[in-house]
Amino acid sequence: MPIGDVLNTGLEGFNRASQGVERATAEINRATVQTQTDEQQAQQRQLQAASSDEATTAPVSQPAKLDEALVNLKVEEFNAKANTQTIRTADEVLGTLIDIKV
């Protein structure tokens, strides 16, 4: 496999990992905002219930989305590190080949 192909593969993999990180962070942000909104609504209901003496329960949040997004973020971090190492190794091999040919 030519060294240029290895560099391109590493760069493409790193770009995919970067996009995955962006998707995961956006999902974390959405889950966090949704959780905050749910908590605010639950607090408002509790305040209203306290004033009208009604018993209400807080809505069940969706922690699975946040957990999944955090796992995806960590996976993409590992992918980025692996592709960075591929690029670094290809660079070192290319440098060695240039030194040998000169």
Side-chain angles (χ1 to χ4, degrees), residues 27-100:
E27 185 62 34
I28 290 168
N29 188 31
R30 275 192 295 270
T32 303
V33 168
Q34 182 62 38
T35 301
Q36 289 173 349
T37 303
D38 290 345
E39 289 173 359
Q40 289 171 351
Q41 290 174 354
Q43 288 174 351
Q44 288 175 352
R45 284 189 206 117
Q46 288 174 349
L47 290 173
Q48 291 171 353
S51 65
S52 65
D53 293 336
E54 293 179 8
T56 59
T57 58
V60 177
S61 63
Q62 298 287 336
K65 289 182 181 180
L66 182 59
D67 292 346
E68 185 178 326
L70 289 169
V71 169
N72 288 340
L73 181 62
K74 198 65 172 172
V75 167
E76 295 302 340
E77 177 187 352
F78 287 129
N79 285 340
K81 286 181 181 179
N83 284 297
T84 300
Q85 186 60 41
T86 301
I87 294 167
R88 186 176 295 127
T89 302
D91 181 53
E92 290 172 3
V93 168
L94 182 61
T96 302
L97 291 173
I98 291 172
D99 289 344
I100 291 172

